[in-house]
Amino acid sequence: NDSTKMLAFCCSGATKGKGEMFLSDSVAATDTVLQTDFGKKLREKGICYIRCLTDQQEGDTGSIYNHWQTSFNVSSAADVERIANSKGLEVHWGPNRYCKTKHYTSGFEYFPQLDRNILYSSIADHSSWFDTWPGVRDLPTMPSFEEATPAHRPLLITYGDDSEMTPNDLQTFSDVYDEHGFPIRWEQGDIAMVCNYRFAHGRPQYYLDEGEERTLGVVLGDMFSRVGQRNDKW
């Protein structure tokens, strides 16, 4: 279960007033979320990320997110299980070699430089991520991990005890980042270096007209093995 300490973004093309990236103060977001019922449950139960992948050999089965052959860069189910297990993922197989994975982890991460736990999860891996994805947006959210098929959206998050995150929980999860977010308004030549512990990043939807441009390059910094939350560092 690895993550990156730093990220760097560089802008080679920008259009004024469009394509802003947002950063969110993870320290402030942590303090805010821990005051909510959702944050207390996240602290107690952790989080589970569910990700499902189709079999490329089944052909075009409709709205495809990703095939497991592409995601894992292998051709056999045994290799999928070997790689996934080495990363802490559980693997289950549905009909037609539909690959369903689970990853249990803390929703927080201990940040040594501040000697405290920081919110280190988001709704980015929830099915709502596909709300604007052509084709996939027309699919329903999977009713459960066990019932998931290619006819459902392939991502979901639950609490670490497999209990459901309610719509109110998910709204709170989003709101705590929005409340402490601020924009990066790109200009050509800009470079932003971001501490991945200290700030969350993302962007809203945007549209470009003919002749307009938004081009960013991204570089990942040093990787580290996650330790999760420390119960003596709240």
Side-chain angles (χ1 to χ4, degrees):
N1 187 11
D2 295 335
S3 187
T4 184
K5 295 179 179 179
M6 296 285 295
L7 296 141
F9 301 86
C10 53
C11 178
S12 64
T15 298
K16 187 175 181 180
K18 295 185 177 183
E20 298 165 332
M21 184 177 83
F22 279 75
L23 300 180
S24 183
D25 182 341
S26 293
V27 172
T30 303
D31 292 340
T32 298
V33 79
L34 287 173
Q35 297 175 27
T36 69
D37 290 339
F38 162 73
K40 294 170 184 174
K41 287 189 287 186
L42 185 65
R43 169 179 168 173
E44 174 190 352
K45 298 180 177 185
I47 192 169
C48 177
Y49 297 100
I50 295 171
R51 181 171 177 250
C52 300
L53 302 161
T54 46
D55 179 6
Q56 191 172 24
Q57 294 182 6
E58 289 297 315
D60 186 358
T61 57
S63 302
I64 299 300
Y65 161 58
N66 205 353
H67 298 303
W68 53 260
Q69 288 93 337
T70 303
S71 182
F72 287 93
N73 195 29
V74 298
S75 59
S76 74
D79 284 334
V80 169
E81 294 184 18
R82 174 180 56 81
I83 295 171
N85 292 162
S86 73
K87 301 294 185 181
L89 278 68
E90 296 181 11
V91 181
H92 301 257
W93 296 95
N96 301 317
R97 298 202 302 177
Y98 190 52
C99 180
K100 302 190 290 186
T101 69
K102 277 186 174 184
H103 179 59
Y104 295 94
T105 189
S106 172
F108 299 84
E109 183 69 17
Y110 174 67
F111 183 23
Q113 280 75 8
L114 292 183
D115 192 31
R116 60 168 292 178
N117 296 316
I118 295 291
L119 184 61
Y120 208 78
S121 55
S122 73
I123 65 166
D125 288 300
H126 184 257
S127 66
S128 59
W129 192 64
F130 294 106
D131 283 351
T132 58
W133 188 309
V136 183
R137 66 187 175 195
D138 300 321
L139 302 178
T141 297
M142 66 181 76
S144 68
F145 179 78
E146 292 74 21
E147 299 172 274
T149 73
H152 302 117
R153 295 188 183 192
L155 297 182
L156 190 68
I157 53 175
T158 69
Y159 288 110
D161 63 355
D162 296 317
S163 59
E164 178 187 8
M165 288 188 182
T166 68
N168 284 339
D169 290 336
L170 295 167
Q171 187 64 56
T172 300
F173 213 172
S174 178
D175 287 347
V176 295
Y177 283 115
D178 290 348
E179 183 177 342
H180 302 289
F182 56 93
I184 303 293
R185 298 184 173 94
W186 293 109
E187 296 182 5
Q188 187 176 25
D190 283 350
I191 295 175
M193 298 183 66
V194 181
C195 173
N196 200 38
Y197 288 99
R198 189 67 177 76
F199 298 97
H201 68 278
R203 64 162 178 80
Q205 188 177 37
Y206 67 91
Y207 297 93
L208 295 177
D209 295 324
E210 185 175 354
E212 295 180 332
E213 181 183 3
R214 180 192 188 269
T215 306
L216 297 182
V218 183
V219 179
L220 300 182
D222 291 341
M223 304 299 289
F224 72 97
S225 296
R226 288 196 56 191
V227 299
Q229 66 196 47
R230 283 183 49 176
N231 291 331
D232 61 338
K233 294 301 180 180
W234 295 108

